[in-house]
Amino acid sequence: MKPHYPILDGLRGVAAILVVIFHVFEGHFPNFAQHPVHHGYLAVDFFFLLSGFVVGYAYDDRWPRMSTWDFFKIRLVRLHPLILLSVVIGGVCIWLDPYMHIAEQVGLLKLLGIMLLTATLLPAPDLRGWGETHSLNGPLWSLLQEYLANLLYAVWGRKLSQRGLWALAIVSGVALTWVAVARGDIATGWAHSNIWIAVIRMMYPFFAGLLLFRAGRLVRVPFAFPLCSLALVALFCLPYFPINGLYEAACILFAFPLIVAAGAGGQVSGAGAKVCKFLGDLSYPLYITHYPFMYLYTNWLINHKPTPAEAAPVALGLFVFVLLLGYAALKLYDEPVRAWLKRRFLTPAASPELARK
């Protein structure tokens, strides 16, 4: 039986919670240099690297008994139910947002059309004036890149040798560093005007994660889960630097692979393993469902201009609410829907319960 990597599940959950904290503060600190979690958007790049590692772990040895179409069906069953739920949540939130006036500006039929288009993950018309490719639920831009990464892996990435993966990692790493240094950060790729950067943000971490899995160069450290979690918190919260773009590129190119190698090489058991499993299970539904409510919170901040004392309990309540929503989405929707889809559409040979990716 394959070894499992519970610490990687836990780290994915830690990163998802840091994303939520980052987004709660985003309305208060739109200038990321002043933001308490200055580099919180790097969680997406960490997710991409984790994804490359886990996709290699889960599927590299299954191709003799699995077709490309089998692989795509597995990934659709894993990812798309929550995508559809998040689009519905995003549509309802923007329709009910008292500051958007979508009923007068857009109308129900056009909103439904944009919801249908967004459900495919294709870039959709921007409804907020922020330039977003997925304005009903901003984080969907990263799921589009996740699907693109899976497509590239299935078509030719799975056949690449380690030498080929090294070459791809070097080229894509240079491109990522160039973008980060030229901009001063890597907080981009979610808008129509810079969607090409989203591909650059995905390419290095995903295929570096795949390379890391195939190389098998894991790091053995004691207390791997708490140490790796603290490392993520520190990397995300360090202040902006004069060479900030180079710092963020270094996080993605070197620090994140080291954290994943230490997480995969570490051991956890008992209560720690249960915590890691819980965080891993919660990570995706939390990440994909929370942001429509951040739009509501941000519009409330802009229009009401509350004092910090007035905003603090609302922010805390919002944080608790999205955690509960993510858990409810997991237990009441995602798990039963995926179980039904697996029975209905997937073959046992192609879909053993190996990885909760």
Side-chain angles (χ1 to χ4, degrees):
M1 178 178 290
K2 286 185 177 182
H4 187 57
Y5 301 110
I7 293 176
L8 297 187
D9 292 338
L11 293 176
R12 189 166 61 244
V14 169
I17 291 172
L18 289 171
V19 166
V20 173
I21 295 172
F22 173 79
H23 285 151
V24 170
F25 279 111
E26 191 175 19
H28 298 271
F29 301 96
N31 182 350
F32 295 150
Q34 301 170 352
H35 196 295
V37 190
H38 299 87
H39 313 279
Y41 43 80
L42 292 180
V44 173
D45 308 274
F46 183 71
F47 290 147
F48 286 147
L49 197 136
L50 272 177
S51 180
F53 186 96
V54 176
V55 164
Y57 157 77
Y59 301 106
D60 264 5
D61 63 350
R62 291 162 62 178
W63 289 103
R65 61 183 185 277
M66 178 180 67
S67 68
T68 302
W69 178 234
D70 286 330
F71 174 76
F72 289 146
K73 287 194 297 182
I74 294 168
R75 302 309 289 150
L76 282 167
V77 167
R78 177 64 186 97
L79 297 174
H80 224 77
L82 278 170
I83 290 170
L84 297 179
L85 177 63
S86 78
V87 171
V88 172
I89 292 173
V92 171
C93 283
I94 199 171
W95 182 262
L96 297 179
D97 190 330
Y99 308 108
M100 288 296 299
H101 307 293
I102 288 296
E104 294 84 1
Q105 296 180 17
V106 176
L108 182 59
L109 285 180
K110 185 174 180 180
L111 176 60
L112 290 174
I114 291 174
M115 289 175 65
L116 288 174
L117 181 59
T118 303
T120 69
L121 288 183
L122 293 174
D126 176 31
L127 293 175
R128 300 178 184 277
W130 296 6
E132 292 175 291
T133 55
H134 299 82
S135 59
L136 295 179
N137 184 18
L140 287 177
W141 75 267
S142 64
L143 269 296
L144 174 60
Q145 297 309 310
E146 177 73 17
Y147 273 168
L148 177 59
N150 280 252
L151 174 64
L152 294 175
Y153 165 76
V155 172
W156 57 268
R158 63 186 175 91
K159 305 172 186 176
L160 278 180
S161 64
Q162 284 198 34
R163 181 176 296 180
L165 281 174
W166 269 110
L168 180 58
I170 291 170
V171 171
S172 58
V174 169
L176 185 145
T177 303
W178 172 73
V179 169
V181 171
R183 283 180 44 89
D185 61 46
I186 200 67
T188 186
W190 46 263
H192 287 278
S193 61
N194 53 42
I195 191 173
W196 60 276
I197 300 179
V199 181
I200 291 177
R201 286 187 69 178
M202 172 273 293
M203 286 293 293
Y204 172 82
F206 182 86
F207 287 101
L210 181 61
L211 175 61
L212 181 62
F213 165 73
R214 291 183 180 172
R217 299 296 180 89
L218 306 183
V219 178
R220 313 288 180 181
V221 296
F223 309 109
F225 177 59
L227 288 178
C228 290
S229 298
L230 288 173
L232 284 179
V233 172
L235 291 172
F236 289 0
C237 293
L238 284 174
Y240 262 44
F241 300 96
I243 51 171
N244 190 71
L246 193 60
Y247 165 76
E248 293 188 353
C251 286
I252 300 168
L253 267 62
F254 305 112
F256 290 169
L258 181 60
I259 290 172
V260 171
Q267 300 292 324
V268 66
S269 60
K274 292 179 180 178
V275 169
C276 286
K277 181 182 186 305
F278 173 78
L279 290 173
D281 290 344
L282 180 64
S283 60
Y284 180 45
L286 175 63
Y287 175 73
I288 207 63
T289 61
H290 80 280
Y291 204 68
F293 300 96
M294 301 300 158
Y295 292 125
L296 295 174
Y297 181 64
T298 300
N299 279 340
W300 177 71
L301 291 175
I302 292 171
N303 286 274
H304 282 265
K305 298 179 174 57
T307 65
E310 293 170 334
V314 179
L316 180 60
L318 176 63
F319 178 72
V320 173
F321 169 76
V322 296
L323 288 176
L324 294 174
L325 175 67
Y327 186 73
L330 171 71
K331 292 299 181 180
L332 302 179
Y333 171 78
D334 187 44
E335 288 183 345
V337 169
R338 285 194 289 119
W340 180 83
L341 290 172
K342 285 179 181 179
R343 292 192 301 269
R344 179 69 176 80
F345 295 106
L346 302 184
T347 63
S351 182
E353 293 296 331
L354 293 174
R356 297 184 309 280
K357 174 65 188 69

